[in-house]
């Protein structure tokens, strides 16, 4: 979407402020972003030239992890922080394993909702979209549209890909994850990724912080990321690793220092 399309924008979309979903779409090479998203994305890319590589690595991890969970027999998925639809959406991955798989997408960007409505019209009865925020997990889990599609007495695949690092410490990320997992039955699976600066030079971190004045972006190291899940999830091999390394045999995959994002997949105890 270009700025010339301003008149067609839904009035609830604030195009003057960058949004993570639209900025991520920009890095992935999509077209659904505004000038503020591009400016923010370019500022980050100027300091971290590998940011587009990182975005693509996260997207590829989503596909591998969702397929892995579907191959464990899970047929319903809750994808929170889904972002703007792009090739390799969760429903495309898991419905290739079983066309009966059901998916609930969650995001808090009105532009995502605009695209999701079109997406849902092509797959009636198998996917739905909630305009909701990860920081209010109870509202997600209690939503009538979620319960119309998912049976929370049966295993669910919970996807939290590149979203937890937008939950600040004062917004209780541990409680957010605990609320979600406690409402899902044993045998459910979770796949998550989380930004980290543990491989990043201090001078680069200092520059990146200049684009994070509101503190909305909170990288956490691998140990802190693991701690969000450890008490409730049996983390599968190979454990907490770079998103580029999780079940990826490509010898040309990006190094952890370029991707700056960890991943894990695990089964609820």
């Amino acid at each position: 979407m270009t700025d010339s399309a301003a008149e067609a924008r839904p009035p609830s979309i604030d195009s003057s402020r960058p949004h993570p979903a639209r900025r991520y779409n920009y890095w992935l090479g999509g077209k659904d972003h505004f000038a503020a998203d591009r400016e923010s994305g370019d500022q980050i890319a100027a300091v971290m030239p590998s940011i587009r590589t990182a975005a693509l690595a996260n997207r590829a991890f989503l596909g591998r992890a969702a397929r892995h969970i579907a191959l464990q027999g899970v047929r319903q998925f809750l994808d929170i922080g889904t972002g703007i639809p792009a090739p390799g959406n969760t429903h495309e991955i898991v419905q290739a394993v079983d066309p009966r798989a059901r998916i609930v997408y969650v995001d808090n960007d009105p532009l995502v909702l605009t695209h999701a409505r079109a997406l849902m019209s092509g797959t009636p009865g198998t996917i739905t979209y909630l305009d909701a925020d990860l920081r209010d997990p109870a509202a997600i889990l209690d939503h009538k549209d979620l319960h119309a599609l998912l049976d929370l007495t049966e295993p669910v695949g919970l996807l939290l890909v590149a979203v937890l690092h937008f939950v600040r410490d004062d917004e209780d990320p541990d409680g957010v994850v605990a609320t979600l997992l406690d409402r899902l039955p044993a045998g459910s699976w979770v796949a998550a990724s989380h930004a980290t600066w543990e491989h990043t030079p201090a001078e680069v971190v200092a520059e990146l912080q200049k684009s994070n004045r509101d503190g909305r972006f909170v990288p956490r190291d691998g140990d802190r990321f693991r701690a969000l899940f450890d008490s409730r999830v049996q983390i599968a091999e190979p454990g907490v690793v770079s998103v580029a390394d999780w079940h990826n045999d490509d010898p040309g995959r990006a190094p952890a220092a370029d991707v700056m994002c960890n991943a894990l997949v695990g089964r609820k105890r």
Side-chain angles (χ1 to χ4, degrees):
M1 181 178 295
T2 63
D3 289 349
S4 63
E7 293 182 0
R9 295 198 294 263
S12 57
I13 294 175
D14 182 0
S15 64
S16 67
R17 296 171 59 87
H19 188 281
R22 301 194 299 265
R23 186 170 55 209
Y24 190 64
N25 179 264
Y26 175 52
W27 288 331
L28 288 173
K31 299 179 180 179
D32 300 295
H33 40 74
F34 302 114
D37 307 304
R38 297 190 290 273
E39 180 181 357
S40 173
D42 288 344
Q43 288 174 350
I44 294 171
V47 180
M48 182 187 172
S50 63
I51 188 62
R52 290 180 175 84
T53 298
L56 290 167
N58 256 293
R59 190 70 176 176
F61 163 71
L62 168 65
R64 296 193 305 274
R67 176 175 170 77
H68 177 87
I69 294 171
L71 290 174
Q72 311 312 306
V74 176
R75 294 296 179 263
Q76 46 183 7
F77 290 79
L78 176 57
D79 184 346
I80 303 178
T82 180
I84 296 167
N89 294 299
T90 299
H91 73 279
E92 295 169 328
I93 301 298
V94 301
Q95 288 180 349
V97 176
D98 188 335
R100 298 169 297 176
R102 304 181 306 281
I103 302 91
V104 172
Y105 289 115
V106 181
D107 208 290
N108 67 349
D109 182 359
L111 185 60
V112 176
L113 177 58
T114 299
H115 286 270
R117 286 174 178 149
L119 185 67
M120 288 186 290
S121 68
T123 52
T126 61
I127 68 173
T128 194
Y129 171 88
L130 307 185
D131 183 9
D133 196 308
L134 171 62
R135 292 168 293 180
D136 188 0
I140 295 171
L141 293 165
D142 293 336
H143 200 291
K144 61 181 179 59
D145 290 346
L146 181 146
H147 289 276
L149 201 61
L150 304 187
D151 177 359
L152 297 189
T153 68
E154 296 293 330
V156 172
L158 173 64
L159 305 178
L160 297 168
V161 177
V163 66
L164 285 167
H165 45 240
F166 296 113
V167 181
R168 297 193 308 255
D169 289 340
D170 63 347
E171 294 167 332
D172 191 16
D174 297 270
V176 166
V177 173
T179 298
L180 290 167
L181 289 173
D182 286 350
R183 291 280 295 274
L184 301 183
S188 293
W189 284 76
V190 61
S193 66
H194 198 300
T196 179
W197 284 343
E198 59 194 312
H199 309 295
T200 307
E203 61 271 19
V204 175
V205 171
E207 288 298 315
L208 288 170
Q209 286 285 30
K210 294 178 182 178
S211 300
N212 188 38
R213 293 183 178 87
D214 63 356
R216 173 51 57 202
F217 181 65
V218 187
R220 298 178 175 99
D221 65 23
D223 289 341
R224 181 68 183 96
F225 177 41
R226 180 186 292 106
L228 292 171
F229 298 90
D230 251 351
S231 65
R232 292 171 172 82
V233 172
Q234 180 64 49
I235 298 175
E237 293 296 333
V240 175
V241 295
S242 168
V243 290
D245 292 335
W246 193 88
H247 285 230
N248 185 4
D249 297 327
D250 180 2
R253 62 187 181 272
D258 285 351
V259 174
M260 295 168 54
C261 197
N262 287 320
L264 65 80
V265 174
R267 188 174 186 269
K268 182 180 174 183
R269 302 178 193 275

